[in-house]
Amino acid sequence: MIKRFSPLAGLKVIDLSKVLAGPVCTQYLGDLGADVIKIEPCEGGDDTRSWPPIDGYDGAVFLSCNRNKRSLALDLKTGPGKKILRKLVAKSDIFVESFRTGVTQRLGIDYDSMKQIKPDLIYASISGFGRSGPLANSPGYDVMIQAFSGIMSITGEKGGAPARSAFSPLDQTTGIHTALGILAALRHRDQTGQGQLIETSLYETALSFLSYTAQGYWTDGRVPERAGSGHDSLCPYQAFIASDGYILIACGNDKLWQKLCKALGFDDIASDPRYATNVARVARFDETVRLVADEIVKKTVSEWTEILSDAGVPNSPIHNVSEALQHPQAVAREMIENLPHPAAGNVKGISMPVLFAGYSRRPRSAPPLLGENSVEILREIEVSEEETNTLLAHGIIRVTEANSEI
């Protein structure tokens, strides 16, 4: 029997979020044992269900962030749909939404309305720019806020065009911040009995990412620019071209510089005061990088990996995604899961990146089909079979099974 760490068991989460930030948040809550009910529109469900590539019925993005959840397909624009939601909220602990500003008020599902039903409810609201300020009503896509926040201005090759950080870091980290806020609010509720309204936004996550970059700007007044794989405060600390590809060298302090010099055969340079300290190397950034680059290009990546590793210099080949996912370290740490899925047969997934001693982090369930759990969830709030059939007939709820026509 698999033993799972489930400190949130017994807590019920109503998840009205979609796409990435909210689903990442609620997936972590589900990983920790909470019962997460994902409420989706009857037609299409979460937008990411239809984002290619598709596996079974659903898109890869959806499959990546919706394990350990149950799906209720529900039309919240109808009176019966809102009634069902209110009944669910009355028996729930946590409510997560990511609607555009003003939508929850129009639907009557804002925090003030929901706390009338459940006074100790923890209500998490995720948005692009926050629920106040001049941009409160603006849409908030990850790439848009990478540009707006200044992050894109420092991402990309030196002298080149701005680049998007491809794994949607603002969405994913906003989800983590939201889960952190919810856990803190749960602790507060344990102490006081009070509920809480939590706000997170992609914009505030983006500004928090600028932490040391902003501090550097405030310190020297220099507006940061794109530096490719390099680092404004460390040198050499970037990717270099070997004879057959790229290798990353992370020379994070002066002791490592001495080790790197020995590995590269830089006997004279090792004692040269122009390069002996990181401050000196940063002052001669381009010159230092050129010295190292001229040597690295003479051997292959695998040759340098062996030489630098033996010398104790942090380094890495630049793996592609396939290589990274198949690496023996990922296998040894059991970070890749393979879960049975009703439509796709099996789906792979990346495990929660926290390991609790003595417990497995294997998920309880694969991402659900749209409305897969609609009927069982209604049974739990004592909706009769007759009423359930009426709701199905009128399209207020939906059920999808593995052999359904989508």
Side-chain angles (χ1 to χ4, degrees):
M1 181 178 179
I2 297 174
K3 185 180 180 183
R4 296 182 176 90
F5 188 68
S6 301
L8 301 187
L11 295 177
K12 192 177 294 294
V13 179
I14 302 301
D15 180 9
L16 282 167
S17 68
K18 63 180 183 178
V19 183
L20 200 51
V24 165
C25 166
T26 53
Q27 177 165 271
Y28 281 129
L29 299 180
D31 289 342
L32 294 172
D35 176 16
V36 180
I37 297 175
K38 184 178 179 68
I39 298 179
E40 307 178 70
C42 291
E43 294 302 319
D46 188 317
D47 293 353
T48 59
R49 286 188 182 272
S50 61
W51 289 8
I54 306 294
D55 189 0
Y57 296 156
D58 297 315
V61 174
F62 178 86
L63 295 173
S64 76
C65 57
N66 285 286
R67 63 172 178 258
N68 289 335
K69 301 179 188 181
R70 298 188 291 163
S71 173
L72 166 61
L74 180 67
D75 186 350
L76 286 174
K77 296 179 180 178
T78 65
K82 292 176 183 176
K83 180 181 176 182
I84 289 170
L85 178 63
R86 288 194 291 269
K87 293 182 74 171
L88 284 168
V89 168
K91 295 186 175 183
S92 298
D93 302 278
I94 300 161
F95 187 105
V96 180
E97 61 86 9
S98 60
F99 291 106
R100 288 276 295 271
T101 298
V103 172
T104 58
Q105 287 81 2
R106 290 199 297 272
L107 291 174
I109 60 173
D110 55 290
Y111 175 61
D112 288 339
S113 300
M114 295 296 95
K115 73 176 182 179
Q116 299 302 316
I117 301 169
K118 190 75 163 54
D120 65 349
L121 183 69
I122 294 166
Y123 188 111
S125 181
I126 303 170
S127 61
F129 286 91
R131 300 301 187 188
S132 61
L135 297 178
N137 293 312
S138 298
Y141 291 97
D142 189 294
V143 66
M144 170 187 171
I145 296 176
Q146 285 188 44
F148 188 88
S149 66
I151 286 176
M152 196 174 284
S153 76
I154 57 174
T155 306
E157 286 303 314
K158 190 172 185 177
R164 168 182 173 258
S165 184
F167 60 95
S168 302
L170 303 184
D171 268 320
Q172 298 203 64
T173 309
T174 299
I176 297 170
H177 289 166
T178 308
L180 175 63
I182 288 169
L183 295 178
L186 285 170
R187 177 62 173 152
H188 177 74
R189 190 177 75 169
D190 289 342
Q191 295 170 331
T192 67
Q194 299 174 357
Q196 183 64 246
L197 170 63
I198 299 165
E199 280 192 44
T200 57
S201 73
L202 275 67
Y203 174 64
E204 286 152 302
T205 291
L207 290 185
S208 75
F209 276 178
L210 290 178
S211 57
Y212 69 80
T213 303
Q215 206 70 46
Y217 164 68
W218 290 325
T219 299
D220 65 15
R222 184 176 63 84
V223 177
E225 299 177 351
R226 288 181 286 282
S229 62
H231 194 302
D232 285 347
S233 299
L234 295 168
C235 184
Y237 196 90
Q238 64 183 70
F240 291 89
I241 300 176
S243 64
D244 64 344
Y246 285 91
I247 184 167
L248 188 289
I249 298 175
C251 192
N253 57 50
D254 295 334
K255 288 184 178 179
L256 289 174
W257 170 249
Q258 293 298 317
K259 292 180 178 181
L260 177 61
C261 286
K262 184 176 180 180
L264 297 179
F266 287 175
D267 298 332
D268 294 337
I269 294 174
S271 58
D272 191 326
R274 293 177 300 171
Y275 309 106
T277 68
N278 183 65
V279 171
R281 293 191 298 278
V282 170
R284 294 172 175 79
F285 192 97
D286 291 342
E287 185 179 334
T288 305
V289 168
R290 187 164 55 252
L291 284 170
V292 176
D294 287 347
E295 193 64 30
I296 294 298
V297 76
K298 297 175 182 178
K299 291 182 171 63
T300 66
V301 170
S302 62
E303 287 173 324
W304 281 123
T305 297
E306 183 177 356
I307 292 168
L308 295 174
S309 297
D310 288 346
V313 178
N315 71 93
S316 176
I318 310 297
H319 287 140
N320 63 34
V321 172
S322 177
E323 290 167 336
L325 293 175
Q326 296 179 66
H327 194 277
Q329 184 67 15
V331 175
R333 295 296 293 172
E334 298 181 346
M335 278 300 295
I336 311 301
E337 296 289 352
N338 198 5
L339 293 172
H341 186 273
N346 283 288
V347 293
K348 289 184 180 297
I350 295 179
S351 298
M352 181 180 185
V354 182
L355 185 60
F356 298 96
Y359 294 89
S360 169
R361 51 186 166 191
R362 181 172 174 77
R364 299 188 308 278
S365 61
L369 301 176
L370 175 59
E372 179 181 340
N373 313 103
S374 294
V375 172
E376 70 181 62
I377 292 169
L378 265 56
R379 291 284 185 273
E380 292 168 4
I381 55 173
E382 300 177 348
V383 176
S384 68
E385 182 177 357
E386 181 181 3
E387 186 177 354
T388 298
N389 289 335
T390 300
L391 293 168
L392 280 166
H394 287 85
I396 296 170
I397 66 168
R398 172 178 172 171
V399 175
T400 301
E401 298 177 348
N403 59 355
S404 298
E405 291 294 328
I406 298 294

